[in-house]
Amino acid sequence: MSFQNPVFIPGPTNMPEALRKAVDMPTLDHRSSLFGDILYPALSGVRQIIKSTEAEVFVFPSTGTGGWETAITNTLSAGDTVLAARNGMFSHRWIDMCQRHGLKVQIVETPWGAGIPTDRFAEILSADASHKIKAVLATHNETATGVRSNIGAVREAMDASNHPAMLFVDGVSSIASMDFRMDEWGVDIAVTGSQKGFMLPAGLAIVGFSPKAMAALDTATLPRCFFDVRDMAKGYAAGGYPYTPAVGLLNGLKQSCDMLLEEGLETVFARHHRIAEGVRAAVHAWGMQLCAQEEGLYSNTVSAICTPEGFNATDIVTHAADKYGVAFGVGLGEVAGKVFRIGHLGSLTDVMALSGIATAEMCMADLGINIRLGAGVAAAQDVYRGAQGHATQEAA
Ligand SMILES: *Cc1c(COP(=O)(O)O)cnc(C)c1O
């Protein structure tokens, strides 16, 4: 009966019953007007969630990775330079994709557990007098390390050096669970997918393009076809898609946006902050450390927890699945075996989080890690009861 248990992987996330039903719908003709009743509310819902009035939102049958490809192939040309920090598996993979597309990537190697080094970015951008750098790539929430970077500060670094590069932000594990301010931060392309904050199955790449990113479509020469935003824009203008849309998932997206907006975005963000604070209180009570180097970097959607030296963190994940039917996230790349991850994004309540914390405790005790059963649960209970930390709102 392990399907009764919530998952604690940082995507795909738990699906509310209402969204599972929304995705499961009869076939409809995507060339009929019925389709527009699904598509346009979904696009406008996403626009509200990324806090933009100007962005054009496009949804492709794909995943977040396809969203990265949409961003770079629609706006850049072979030989263009982009600037990116490598501070985890997801920033690493986006860099790799750029290189495979023939882009030059100026990489700022950054410790895994640190955030985007905006001071270095400011120096590099200031030194780039000929404006060779066409885009800055930023991973808002590094899902591998549980690090949230400050995108507003990346924008400030760009503005301080008067640099005209575009700003592309991977918000795959932040958007719809943590605050994301596309217009305020001057984000030119925001990228996400359906299976994280939107609480849906995987299958959609969701992107927002600023007017500046839209203006780059015609000068960019990287090859693109399936992900060509010009075709998608033409389709939307005519009420449809350049190919067969994933109608059920789009219907789910529409409902998901309705659910999030009905709860209230700030309430959603506060819920994730509170849940994360409970998880962090538990980690502290266990005498363990987060992979994120400092409090200002703590992610409200995923916690990567360092296990004691000499212990294989992946054993916790394997044991949790085998003995308790519960999914946690393994460490990826440089932190493989060193951390395990508790995902706490999407559809989650305080009570669900307590079950994950309790399960992690059982696994650690079973595997001989020196923790007292109940210590983390009690610490989280205090947070969820409002005995501590509860009232603190997430800082922007
Ligand atoms: C999950 C994730 C991705 C990859 O998304 P897919 O939907 O698996 O392609 C990219 N970036 C971040 C930060 C992620 O968490």
Side-chain angles (χ1 to χ4, degrees):
M1 287 297 280
S2 68
F3 284 132
Q4 297 279 16
N5 293 329
V7 295
F8 296 95
I9 43 178
T13 60
N14 300 295
M15 290 185 278
E17 196 61 25
L19 294 187
R20 291 182 62 185
K21 287 185 173 145
V23 168
D24 179 4
M25 65 183 296
T27 304
L28 68 75
D29 177 7
H30 61 277
R31 299 189 198 282
S32 76
S33 64
L34 286 176
F35 178 61
D37 297 341
I38 295 171
L39 175 66
Y40 299 116
L43 300 176
S44 106
V46 170
R47 196 175 298 112
Q48 289 175 71
I49 286 164
I50 59 177
K51 295 190 175 170
S52 181
T53 53
E54 311 192 300
E56 295 205 38
V57 173
F58 302 100
V59 182
F60 292 87
S62 182
T63 70
T65 305
W68 287 340
E69 189 159 328
T70 303
I72 62 176
T73 58
N74 278 279
T75 56
L76 300 170
S77 305
D80 280 355
T81 300
V82 300
L83 172 64
R86 175 154 49 205
N87 65 336
M89 199 60 191
F90 292 93
S91 43
H92 166 73
R93 285 179 44 204
W94 203 4
I95 289 167
D96 174 58
M97 177 187 276
C98 289
Q99 290 170 331
R100 292 202 225 174
H101 277 85
L103 299 171
K104 295 191 188 109
V105 188
Q106 179 150 7
I107 303 170
V108 180
E109 296 295 349
T110 304
W112 288 36
I116 295 172
T118 46
D119 293 354
R120 276 296 289 143
F121 273 25
E123 284 167 21
I124 291 166
L125 291 165
S126 298
D128 179 33
S130 60
H131 297 159
K132 281 214 300 282
I133 296 168
K134 300 299 177 206
V136 173
L137 270 47
T139 301
H140 185 202
N141 188 70
E142 230 325 329
T143 319
T145 57
V147 164
R148 176 194 39 188
S149 289
N150 184 338
I151 302 301
V154 175
R155 167 48 66 194
E156 277 167 30
M158 296 172 72
D159 288 351
S161 43
N162 255 321
H163 201 290
M166 291 176 284
L167 174 58
F168 299 167
V169 180
D170 173 341
V172 181
S173 64
S174 59
I175 288 171
S177 287
M178 294 197 296
D179 198 7
F180 191 93
R181 305 178 185 180
M182 175 136 186
D183 288 1
E184 187 184 318
W185 296 338
V187 174
D188 291 298
I189 302 182
V191 175
T192 189
S194 48
Q195 80 278 22
K196 299 201 180 169
F198 287 107
M199 310 170 280
L200 294 165
L204 299 177
I206 301 164
V207 295
F209 272 56
S210 74
K212 184 167 165 182
M214 290 302 290
L217 296 178
D218 289 325
T219 49
T221 60
L222 276 181
R224 61 207 193 260
C225 176
F226 186 82
F227 291 118
D228 198 323
V229 159
R230 292 169 299 187
D231 293 340
M232 195 58 88
K234 223 181 282 170
Y236 289 177
Y241 258 59
Y243 36 70
T244 314
V247 178
L249 284 170
L250 283 163
N251 193 48
L253 183 61
K254 171 186 160 206
Q255 302 279 346
S256 167
C257 292
D258 284 351
M259 267 177 82
L260 290 160
L261 293 167
E262 193 171 309
E263 181 176 350
L265 285 184
E266 304 314 313
T267 312
V268 171
F269 304 149
R271 170 165 56 85
H272 285 97
H273 175 66
R274 187 182 64 247
I275 290 173
E277 285 281 286
V279 172
R280 292 190 280 260
V283 172
H284 183 74
W286 296 331
M288 295 166 88
Q289 301 286 324
L290 290 167
C291 178
Q293 286 177 347
E294 46 173 315
E295 204 178 323
L297 299 172
Y298 291 168
S299 163
N300 284 340
T301 59
V302 55
S303 297
I305 300 155
C306 302
T307 51
E309 200 64 46
F311 183 88
N312 181 6
T314 302
D315 289 348
I316 294 175
V317 180
T318 311
H319 185 76
D322 292 348
K323 185 160 178 191
Y324 300 109
V326 169
F328 294 111
V330 294
L332 301 172
E334 275 185 29
V335 292
K338 297 181 181 157
V339 307
F340 76 102
R341 295 175 299 154
I342 300 183
H344 35 80
L345 70 169
S347 179
L348 209 69
T349 63
D350 300 4
V351 169
M352 289 159 85
L354 285 172
S355 73
I357 294 165
T359 307
E361 284 186 349
M362 291 194 284
C363 294
M364 290 190 283
D366 290 349
L367 297 171
I369 294 183
N370 184 20
I371 58 140
R372 188 163 46 78
L373 282 178
V377 172
Q381 284 170 325
D382 274 343
V383 174
Y384 300 152
R385 287 172 60 229
Q388 64 169 71
H390 188 162
T392 50
Q393 289 293 313
E394 182 192 352

